[in-house]
Amino acid sequence: MTETLTWQLLRDLKTSEFTQAGDKWHEVSSRSASDRGRVDRAMSAKLRETQESDSAEAALGRLRRLSRNFQYVHTECGLIRTALNGLAGDLAEPQKQLKQALADAASLNFTVHEDGSVSYPAVKVEDLTGAKQEAPGGSSQGSSRLPLDPPGLGSPGQPSLYPGYSGFKPVNPNAEKAQDVADRIARAVRSAREIDARYAKTLNGLRAEKGLDVTAATLKDVARDTADVRSTAGMHLAEGIPQDKDPAERKKWWDGLTDEQRQEYLKVAPDLIGDLDGIPAAARDEANRNYLPVLIDELARQSGDEAKTKLNALRMIQGKLNGSSHPPMYLLGIGDEGNGRAIVSYGNPDTSRNVSAYVPGLGTKLDEDFVEETMKRAEDTALGAREVDPSTASIIWLGYDAPQSLDVMSKGDAQRGAPAYNEFMAGLSATNGNGDPHVTAIGHSYGSLTVGTAAKEAGGIPGVDDVILLGSPGVDAQKATELGVGKEHVFVGAADNDPVTHLPTKAESYLGSSVGWVLGGPEGVRTANDLFDLGNDDVYFGKDPASAAFGAQRFAVDDGPRMVLEAGRFKAHSQYFDPDRDRESADNIANIVGGRPEAVVREKHR
């Protein structure tokens, strides 16, 4: 704690001097960024294009080192600026509290002394008989501890106001007020000292040695320095974020920031911005790419199979992000909470006329299968839809905890996931630059229940024009019209050999229709329909979306192979997106997402 910080220094402190100093550091940071750009684009690129020799390679090595130096200066100076801004912002509150205490002291004619004690004048008081007596003045020394409830009459040590008692002494009512002022002064100074000490430690850690040669090891220190600044100034940065506002208001807030302020969030506090609905996709992508190595490092220090599973998946996602991707990948969300979080877009959802957001279902979590298979479904959708309209982006949204086994057949995960999905979709509406983009919500398996639940919330799914339900066990609705987009805009893909689309109702399952029995399959059973859905059109979570009673648009898909459980998967349940295994389904999905529903091949209802 910095004991030299007195109440007089805190009172007279001009926090604007910190922000002005921060602006100077920002100038150095910006200049370094520009210089690095000139080194990389003008000098190094030109040298590569025009020279091929040992001396040219040696010169390129020196230019790379110079570029690295500029990068280091750019980042470190930016961190200093953020720390100074945070220091100014954090000191503002205790300074405000101090000034209020001093103003109260002045209004009461109290005197605040150099050591923070507060003296108060004598005053005439009445005892219980009405006689006037003088209560002497005195002095109160402040305590920085939280205030206790004031003692009442009759408390131990409290002088009595009744005459005749020995040791009677009139009580000066100013004493309690002076004590309150002195305590507030002490608490304000203590808070400021703690803030000052915290920032001093962080700023001292940002000092570089003279004659610095920036190496790969030095650049690793940047990550440590960033974490230190984030830890110190994070509260200051977090206070500015409109977390409790809707995505449109968050977009307005982000647009109102300066470029320098946005860079502070993206570099120092990317975890606060990366999953914030209403922030533009390019900014979320940059924030999450900055945060991903931090998250990987945190998980690498944890033990247990769950942490290892998530860690492997994050490293795989990082590898894909570092490679080439057409359409380009945007990382719109990442996290290790619950079963893991990942939101990836193939194509920029802010610039595309057509945007789809796919919710996966049962068994989905942040693991190798998610990266290799589930993400590929969104990529296949993007590639197919771009043949219909090149201005298309396709998103995989793992923003909730999907159930992980067949015995978790409840609506709870969908009910918890639906509000998060709707907020994400509202964010897409806020950031898309096309005014009224064509938006498709896609739910596969249990994810269709999540989409259906989201559609039934007040106002429906924000911005959505079409809904696609694939391999659905029901959406907790009796009619397609309940999904808020009109039955002509609800599309259903249901393979006859996909058992999930034939799951019995709870009542039917009690009568002996067993998933395990059908998987083994008695001789002669050709499709799931031979056993499930006993003569009606209900499935586990409501009306069968592929039925005539539901009233959606059923489109043609491949029926898929017979129901054989292999490695925990039903092939017919997992091929809807795959153009190699089910070209008809993939093409129909592409036509819906790409805004060409008239090209969809229809299939009769069940």
Side-chain angles (χ1 to χ4, degrees):
M1 186 179 297
T2 309
E3 298 293 346
T4 54
L5 179 59
T6 63
W7 68 263
Q8 295 95 332
L9 286 174
L10 180 59
R11 177 197 59 193
D12 299 334
L13 180 67
K14 292 182 174 60
T15 57
S16 61
E17 293 179 352
F18 293 125
T19 57
Q20 289 167 3
D23 290 342
K24 295 298 182 182
W25 284 104
H26 171 67
E27 291 175 11
V28 177
S29 178
S30 298
R31 204 157 50 239
S32 299
S34 299
D35 290 342
R36 184 192 177 202
R38 281 195 291 272
V39 169
D40 292 344
R41 289 190 299 270
M43 301 170 69
S44 296
K46 185 115 181 187
L47 190 58
R48 282 193 208 93
E49 292 171 2
T50 59
Q51 302 290 327
E52 289 186 12
S53 65
D54 292 342
S55 59
E57 280 300 317
L60 282 170
R62 290 191 292 272
L63 287 173
R64 280 193 294 269
R65 186 172 65 182
L66 182 59
S67 173
R68 200 164 56 231
N69 289 354
F70 281 134
Q71 177 189 355
Y72 180 79
V73 172
H74 164 64
T75 302
E76 293 288 301
C77 289
L79 291 175
I80 293 172
R81 188 245 189 181
T82 299
L84 290 171
N85 284 349
L87 176 59
D90 286 354
L91 283 174
E93 182 59 28
Q95 185 183 57
K96 175 184 174 183
Q97 294 170 356
L98 171 70
K99 288 183 175 180
Q100 183 61 57
L102 295 175
D104 290 346
S107 68
L108 294 166
N109 200 28
F110 295 168
T111 300
V112 180
H113 300 283
E114 187 174 341
D115 63 353
S117 61
V118 177
S119 59
Y120 52 91
V123 65
K124 293 283 189 179
V125 297
E126 289 184 359
D127 61 22
L128 293 181
T129 66
K132 289 276 189 181
Q133 298 194 47
E134 182 175 277
S139 180
S140 297
Q141 186 68 49
S143 169
S144 61
R145 292 178 298 178
L146 291 175
L148 301 173
D149 292 333
L153 293 177
S155 299
Q158 179 78 3
S160 172
L161 291 179
Y162 291 97
Y165 278 75
S166 62
F168 169 75
K169 185 178 180 181
V171 175
N172 190 328
N174 286 322
E176 186 177 333
K177 297 176 183 178
Q179 186 64 56
D180 174 65
V181 170
D183 288 344
R184 286 156 58 198
I185 291 172
R187 288 196 296 273
V189 172
R190 176 176 175 175
S191 175
R193 285 174 177 171
E194 290 173 347
I195 291 168
D196 179 55
R198 192 169 74 246
Y199 277 92
K201 181 180 178 182
T202 297
L203 287 165
N204 285 332
L206 296 176
R207 290 180 177 176
E209 299 295 331
K210 291 183 178 180
L212 176 68
D213 180 23
V214 177
T215 64
T218 308
L219 290 178
K220 284 186 178 180
D221 290 341
V222 172
R224 182 202 63 203
D225 291 341
T226 302
D228 288 344
V229 172
R230 167 73 172 89
S231 176
T232 302
M235 187 175 296
H236 162 68
L237 291 171
E239 285 174 352
I241 298 175
Q243 293 279 7
D244 58 342
K245 303 296 184 181
D246 62 40
E249 290 177 284
R250 293 176 192 151
K251 170 69 162 50
K252 184 178 179 181
W253 165 77
W254 182 260
D255 290 345
L257 298 177
T258 64
D259 288 339
E260 298 79 28
Q261 289 171 321
R262 293 191 199 112
Q263 285 304 309
E264 279 185 350
Y265 282 107
L266 295 177
K267 287 185 170 61
V268 179
D271 55 315
L272 299 180
I273 295 299
D275 66 347
L276 199 62
D277 299 316
I279 302 301
R284 288 180 71 163
D285 177 64
E286 183 177 348
N288 286 311
R289 286 175 188 251
N290 289 340
Y291 178 52
L292 184 56
V294 177
L295 187 58
I296 287 174
D297 185 60
E298 289 176 355
L299 281 171
R301 293 197 296 269
Q302 297 178 21
S303 58
D305 292 340
E306 183 179 332
K308 184 178 180 181
T309 296
K310 293 175 182 176
L311 176 61
N312 290 339
L314 291 178
R315 285 172 172 164
M316 292 171 69
I317 291 174
Q318 187 178 52
K320 287 183 176 291
L321 292 168
N322 291 338
S324 59
S325 174
H326 302 286
M329 293 173 63
Y330 288 79
L331 188 59
L332 303 182
I334 200 74
D336 63 346
E337 58 267 37
N339 294 322
R341 301 287 186 266
I343 306 171
V344 179
S345 180
Y346 291 90
N348 189 336
D350 290 350
T351 60
S352 299
R353 287 189 297 270
N354 304 286
V355 182
S356 68
Y358 149 51
V359 183
L362 178 68
T364 309
K365 60 182 179 179
L366 189 59
D367 60 6
E368 182 177 341
D369 284 345
F370 173 81
V371 180
E372 292 297 334
E373 297 181 15
T374 312
M375 283 174 55
K376 185 178 182 299
R377 293 172 185 172
E379 184 178 18
D380 285 339
T381 299
L383 292 171
R386 281 182 166 228
E387 293 182 8
V388 178
D389 184 347
S391 182
T392 299
S394 173
I395 299 166
I396 167 66
W397 184 85
L398 182 59
Y400 81 125
D401 282 330
Q404 294 300 300
S405 61
L406 282 171
D407 60 354
V408 190
M409 296 299 285
S410 76
K411 301 174 186 177
D413 289 323
Q415 291 167 342
R416 286 182 288 272
Y421 183 69
N422 278 347
E423 180 149 319
F424 174 76
M425 299 301 275
L428 293 182
S429 295
T431 58
N432 189 285
N434 287 289
D436 185 22
H438 171 242
V439 180
T440 304
I442 304 176
H444 174 242
S445 186
Y446 187 92
S448 66
L449 176 63
T450 305
V451 168
T453 304
K456 290 173 63 181
E457 285 200 330
I461 303 174
V464 159
D465 301 286
D466 293 308
V467 173
I468 301 176
L469 309 173
L470 301 166
S472 176
V475 296
D476 196 26
Q478 297 301 305
K479 297 282 186 182
T481 51
E482 295 178 42
L483 303 190
V485 293
K487 65 180 183 179
E488 68 278 7
H489 292 285
V490 179
F491 297 88
V492 176
D496 279 346
N497 286 327
D498 179 354
V500 174
T501 69
H502 299 285
L503 285 175
T505 64
K506 291 181 181 179
E508 290 171 343
S509 66
Y510 296 148
L511 295 176
S513 294
S514 162
V515 173
W517 183 46
V518 171
L519 294 181
E523 244 181 275
V525 174
R526 292 182 300 278
T527 71
N529 208 31
D530 292 322
L531 275 179
F532 288 156
D533 206 3
L534 306 181
N536 60 38
D537 45 26
D538 290 316
V539 286
Y540 199 86
F541 290 117
K543 194 65 67 180
D544 179 2
S547 69
F550 190 75
Q553 310 301 306
R554 188 183 183 193
F555 60 83
V557 302
D558 189 290
D559 284 339
R562 285 185 56 194
M563 294 181 304
V564 178
L565 186 62
E566 295 180 1
R569 298 180 181 86
F570 305 109
K571 287 186 176 180
H573 185 60
S574 59
Q575 66 184 29
Y576 294 102
F577 298 88
D578 192 334
D580 294 327
R581 295 164 60 195
D582 192 344
R583 168 57 69 179
E584 195 165 30
S585 176
D587 284 349
N588 283 326
I589 293 170
N591 281 318
I592 298 165
V593 171
R596 196 169 62 187
E598 67 277 6
V600 172
V601 178
R602 312 295 170 121
E603 185 170 352
K604 67 179 182 179
H605 295 108
R606 287 177 175 166

